Amino acid sequence: MLSFFKDYKYFAIVFAIISIIIISIIFNILNVDKPLPIYQPTMVNSELVDSTLLDVKKYHKIADFSLLNQNGEIVNQDNYKDKIYVADFFFTTCQTICPIMTNHMVDIQNEILDDTDVMLLSHSVTPEIDSVAQLKKYALKKGVNDSKWNLVTGDKKQIYDLARKSYLAVKDQGNGDQYDMIHTENFMLIDKKRQIRGFYDGTNPEDIERLLNDIETLKKEY
């Protein structure tokens, strides 16, 4: 028996070393952050997608836009060039989910305050009510940091098209107006290529934590 172990001692040592290496490689692979998905219209609830995009399976990006923020300044895609950002849709007079969503967006703002790669963008779904002055009042009340977070208003059709055709974020069943929309609680994570990389329930603290983690994962791609 002793001679058997003696004969195979070196084989056992080599086998043990190889096994340790293999186990280490597998462990590292399993612990590497997986890339976030790139969402296409076909991957999203059809109720949130414009009918013209229902069959789109690739190359979906956020369209160009030009809107006014809480300071009356023009905000467009260039303000978010080479930025990761979180987007949502809301209105200042909403008394249901919007206050919760806004409070969670404030939490995100505080977490990314010193991160030059990340910004926030909130679109009003009632631009006829949410004037620049109304947005400014709301921004001051909520503690919006102008350098990190734009609340935007503007042409309703443009906002509608952004919501339905770019961010895939709202339903179009409302009170019958041509561009009426029912916004959801969704926050969307947008990458530096203007692609959607995640959807999150803006009223759910656990989803906000997941969003913050996904921002860190996304930053590793650059």
Side-chain angles (χ1 to χ4, degrees):
M1 180 67 71
L2 290 176
S3 62
F4 174 83
F5 284 111
K6 186 176 181 180
D7 292 339
Y8 289 93
K9 177 176 65 175
Y10 294 110
F11 171 79
I13 292 172
V14 171
F15 180 78
I17 292 172
I18 292 174
S19 297
I20 291 170
I21 292 172
I22 291 173
I23 291 171
S24 297
I25 291 172
I26 293 173
F27 180 82
N28 288 330
I29 290 173
L30 292 176
N31 281 275
V32 170
D33 288 330
K34 295 181 180 179
L36 299 177
I38 299 174
Y39 283 89
Q40 307 297 330
T42 54
M43 300 165 64
V44 180
N45 183 342
S46 60
E47 291 184 352
L48 305 175
V49 181
D50 189 83
S51 60
T52 61
L53 301 175
L54 289 175
D55 296 325
V56 174
K57 298 179 180 180
K58 55 185 179 180
Y59 306 131
H60 182 74
K61 293 187 177 183
I62 305 304
D64 291 352
F65 61 94
S66 181
L67 298 164
L68 291 176
N69 72 0
Q70 64 268 26
N71 297 313
E73 301 165 338
I74 293 175
V75 172
N76 59 32
Q77 64 281 348
D78 292 336
N79 295 91
Y80 289 83
K81 185 178 180 181
D82 296 325
K83 300 291 184 182
I84 293 167
Y85 68 97
V86 180
D88 76 335
F89 290 81
F90 81 114
F91 58 104
T92 61
T93 56
C94 169
Q95 299 298 316
T96 54
I97 63 175
C98 293
I100 302 172
M101 293 170 64
T102 301
N103 289 340
H104 282 154
M105 197 69 95
V106 170
D107 292 339
I108 297 170
Q109 172 189 257
N110 294 338
E111 290 292 329
I112 59 142
L113 205 55
D114 298 320
D115 192 331
T116 57
D117 282 332
V118 187
M119 294 181 65
L120 309 174
L121 178 61
S122 294
H123 310 73
S124 170
V125 298
T126 59
E128 66 279 7
I129 297 173
D130 289 332
S131 62
V132 169
Q134 176 71 4
L135 289 181
K136 186 63 176 179
K137 179 181 178 181
Y138 190 81
L140 291 172
K141 179 181 178 181
K142 297 297 184 179
V144 171
N145 184 305
D146 292 343
S147 67
K148 300 297 293 183
W149 185 2
N150 289 297
L151 313 181
V152 292
T153 188
D155 177 68
K156 189 169 186 177
K157 182 183 184 303
Q158 181 181 182
I159 294 173
Y160 177 92
D161 285 344
L162 284 169
R164 295 279 297 168
K165 297 181 180 181
S166 284
Y167 293 101
L168 316 178
V170 304
K171 300 178 181 180
D172 65 355
Q173 298 90 352
N175 61 19
D177 182 87
Q178 184 179 6
Y179 303 118
D180 192 31
M181 46 191 153
I182 300 176
H183 76 94
T184 65
E185 67 278 6
N186 284 344
F187 286 176
M188 286 68 63
L189 179 60
I190 311 302
D191 68 16
K192 295 184 179 183
K193 296 180 180 179
R194 297 159 65 178
Q195 302 172 125
I196 302 173
R197 304 302 296 272
F199 290 91
Y200 311 85
D201 183 341
T203 67
N204 186 336
E206 293 182 359
D207 257 25
I208 302 306
E209 190 64 33
R210 180 169 65 90
L211 169 55
L212 291 169
N213 290 334
D214 283 355
I215 288 173
E216 293 304 313
T217 299
L218 185 55
K219 286 170 62 179
K220 294 175 184 177
E221 292 188 11
Y222 304 104

